[in-house]
């Protein structure tokens, strides 16, 4: 593959008539290149540090008897106060010097997590009797939804947005899976989550505002896939006699059709009836019948990561693909000889596919 410069790409787009406002595109590239971006591991460390700090503050509040889990009003008042204090601290400290800014943002994140946790804990116990048809688990989901909607715009810290939306989606997934006597609602939630993830990463006008939600959808899909490939799927349904457990094959087929749609969307300038697109779709359809949901999702993440030049999504896709492949081959009901033969045959097929790609020049850029 050739190495292209930014200017040559802009020249090519202008020549093809695909770039209507070159000055705006150049200004955007310069601003994005000069933007100070924190590495991904910094966000991870901030999240871990904030979680540990929030546990310490909650323990301090309990030890000093400022809050009590038997007093729902104290949880609500303390939680709301911490949320307001975190917002004030964030807007006061965000333009200070580097060291003070870093320390202030970490403190604001800690108090925000504490505030949300206490508010949700007080909300689901204080208002559960006012909304009779809703049980405890759904009240927790409703509480997380309220604090997420309230703080997503006014507290623009990436880690907080990611943790809030991830908590909300995981809570929804838990309720869809364990609050009904059928897995049909979990299947509908899974399909909606796949569509939402595809839309967020393919949305051409998406801003950084939606990035935390996008990655929350990715992690939630991975969690759903772990449950689907495990032996716990369908074992914790509400009621002693579940009415209907949807086979995991339906999840595979839904994911496979999602990948086929993704291939057609990303085909872009290519003719969607060309041979290599059709071969890819047929391969994905066959793979959806013989593999597991985790492998299909990981392939989708790799495709999206490559298409959108998203290194984080590519790394996540590669990591989960390796994990789900190991589990898939380990769970095959065959002896080691047959498993070794399957592995060798898979390698031969991959090498042959690579040879065909080079021979047909399907991997060359036009």
């Amino acid at each position: 593959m050739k190495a292209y410069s930014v200017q040559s790409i802009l020249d090519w787009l202008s020549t093809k008539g695909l770039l209507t406002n070159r000055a705006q595109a150049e200004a955007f590239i310069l601003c994005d290149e000069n933007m100070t971006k924190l590495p991904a591991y910094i966000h991870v460390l901030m999240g871990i540090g904030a979680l540990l700090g929030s546990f310490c503050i909650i323990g301090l509040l309990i030890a000093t008897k400022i809050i009590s889990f038997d007093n729902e009003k104290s949880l609500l008042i303390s939680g709301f106060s911490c949320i307001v204090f975190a917002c004030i601290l964030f807007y006061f400290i965000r333009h200070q010097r580097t060291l003070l800014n870093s320390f202030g943002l970490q403190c604001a994140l800690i108090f925000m997590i504490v505030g949300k946790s206490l508010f949700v804990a007080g909300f689901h116990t204080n208002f559960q009797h006012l909304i009779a048809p809703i049980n405890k688990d759904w009240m927790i989901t409703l509480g997380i939804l309220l604090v997420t909607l309230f703080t997503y715009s006014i507290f623009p810290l990436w880690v907080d947005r990611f943790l809030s939306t991830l908590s909300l989606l995981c809570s929804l997934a838990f309720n869809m899976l364990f609050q009904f006597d059928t897995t049909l609602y979990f299947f509908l939630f899974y399909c909606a989550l796949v569509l939402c993830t595809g839309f967020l990463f393919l949305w051409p006008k998406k801003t950084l505002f939606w990035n935390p939600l996008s990655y929350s959808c990715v992690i939630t899909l991975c969690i759903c896939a772990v449950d689907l490939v495990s032996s716990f799927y369908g074992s914790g349904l509400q009621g002693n006699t579940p009415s209907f457990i949807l086979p995991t094959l339906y999840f595979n087929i839904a994911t496979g059709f999602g990948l086929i749609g993704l291939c057609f969307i990303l085909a872009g300038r290519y003719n969607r009836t060309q041979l290599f697109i059709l071969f890819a779709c047929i391969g994905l359809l066959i793979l959806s019948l013989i593999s597991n949901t985790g492998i299909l999702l990981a392939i989708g993440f790799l495709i999206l990561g490559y298409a959108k030049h998203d290194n984080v999504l590519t790394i996540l896709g590669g990591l989960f693909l390796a994990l789900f492949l190991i589990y898939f081959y380990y769970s095959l009901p065959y002896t080691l000889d047959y498993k070794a033969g399957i592995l060798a045959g898979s390698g031969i097929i991959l090498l042959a596919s690579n040879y065909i790609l080079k021979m047909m020049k399907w991997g060359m850029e036009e």
Side-chain angles (χ1 to χ4, degrees):
M1 185 180 293
K2 297 180 180 179
Y4 297 99
S5 65
V6 175
Q7 291 297 328
S8 63
I9 293 175
L10 292 177
D11 292 337
W12 183 85
L13 290 173
S14 300
T15 304
K16 296 292 184 178
L18 301 174
L19 188 62
T20 57
N21 194 339
R22 176 163 181 163
Q24 184 179 359
E26 290 178 348
F28 174 80
I29 292 173
L30 287 174
C31 292
D32 184 72
E33 193 69 26
N34 295 323
M35 184 184 299
T36 303
K37 298 178 181 178
L38 291 176
Y41 71 90
I42 296 294
H43 290 294
V44 174
L45 291 177
M46 285 182 64
I48 295 174
L51 288 174
L52 294 177
S54 63
F55 291 147
C56 295
I57 291 181
I58 292 175
L60 178 63
L61 293 175
I62 295 174
T64 55
K65 297 183 180 180
I66 296 176
I67 64 172
S68 173
F69 287 98
D70 296 328
N71 187 356
E72 298 86 0
K73 292 184 179 179
S74 68
L75 295 176
L76 282 173
I77 296 173
S78 300
F80 184 76
S81 301
C82 287
I83 291 174
V84 173
F85 177 75
C87 293
I88 294 174
L89 181 61
F90 172 80
Y91 283 100
F92 176 76
I93 211 75
R94 60 176 179 167
H95 296 307
Q96 301 298 323
R97 295 181 179 179
T98 305
L99 183 59
L100 185 59
N101 177 269
S102 177
F103 178 75
L105 290 181
Q106 189 74 8
C107 291
L109 179 60
I110 291 173
F111 277 101
M112 181 58 72
I113 293 177
V114 171
K116 289 182 176 180
S117 302
L118 294 179
F119 183 87
V120 172
F123 179 84
H124 89 270
T125 54
N126 198 34
F127 292 97
Q128 184 177 0
H129 302 292
L130 299 179
I131 310 177
I134 301 181
N135 63 13
K136 175 182 175 182
D137 294 320
W138 282 108
M139 287 300 297
I140 292 176
T141 304
L142 181 58
I144 298 174
L145 176 62
L146 291 177
V147 294
T148 301
L149 292 177
F150 177 70
T151 60
Y152 197 91
S153 297
I154 64 175
F155 193 75
L157 201 59
W158 198 97
V159 179
D160 176 71
R161 288 175 171 176
F162 171 75
L163 292 176
S164 298
T165 51
L166 180 62
S167 301
L168 176 62
L169 292 176
C170 289
S171 179
L172 281 172
F174 177 85
N175 291 338
M176 292 294 179
L177 189 58
F178 297 111
Q179 295 302 313
F180 300 98
D181 60 350
T182 174
T183 58
L184 178 62
Y185 298 103
F186 179 67
F187 174 73
L188 296 176
F189 171 78
Y190 176 84
C191 293
L193 195 59
V194 169
L195 293 175
C196 182
T197 305
F199 171 77
L200 287 173
F201 279 100
L202 296 174
W203 185 13
K205 295 183 179 180
K206 188 188 75 170
T207 61
L208 296 176
F209 180 84
W210 299 105
N211 271 356
L213 178 60
S214 304
Y215 291 106
S216 298
C217 292
V218 169
I219 300 300
T220 307
L221 281 175
C222 293
I223 294 174
C224 293
V226 170
D227 180 78
L228 288 170
V229 302
S230 68
S231 58
F232 298 104
Y233 171 69
S235 61
L237 298 181
Q238 193 177 55
N240 297 324
T241 55
S243 62
F244 179 63
I245 298 178
L246 200 66
T248 56
L249 179 63
Y250 288 90
F251 292 85
N252 291 5
I253 294 175
T255 311
F257 278 110
L259 288 176
I260 292 173
L262 181 63
C263 290
F264 276 104
I265 293 173
L266 294 177
R269 54 194 173 92
Y270 296 108
N271 186 354
R272 292 186 175 91
T273 59
Q274 285 192 5
L275 194 58
F276 75 100
I277 296 292
L278 297 179
F279 270 131
C281 294
I282 293 173
L284 289 172
L285 187 60
I286 296 174
L287 193 63
S288 64
L289 299 176
I290 62 176
S291 66
N292 59 45
T293 312
I295 294 175
L296 296 171
L297 281 176
I299 292 174
F301 297 154
L302 288 173
I303 294 173
L304 278 175
Y306 179 79
K308 297 300 178 180
H309 306 285
D310 192 325
N311 292 329
V312 175
L313 196 59
T314 303
I315 293 172
L316 284 175
L319 178 63
F320 280 105
L321 179 62
L323 293 176
F324 283 115
L325 277 174
I326 292 172
Y327 177 82
F328 175 73
Y329 283 107
Y330 177 78
S331 61
L332 288 175
Y334 304 118
T335 61
L336 289 177
D337 295 338
Y338 284 105
K339 290 182 180 181
I342 292 173
L343 285 171
S346 302
I348 293 173
I349 292 173
L350 289 175
L351 290 174
S353 302
N354 183 54
Y355 176 76
I356 294 174
L357 287 173
K358 290 183 177 179
M359 184 180 64
M360 303 295 292
K361 297 181 179 181
W362 288 347
M364 301 295 294
E365 295 285 345
E366 293 185 1

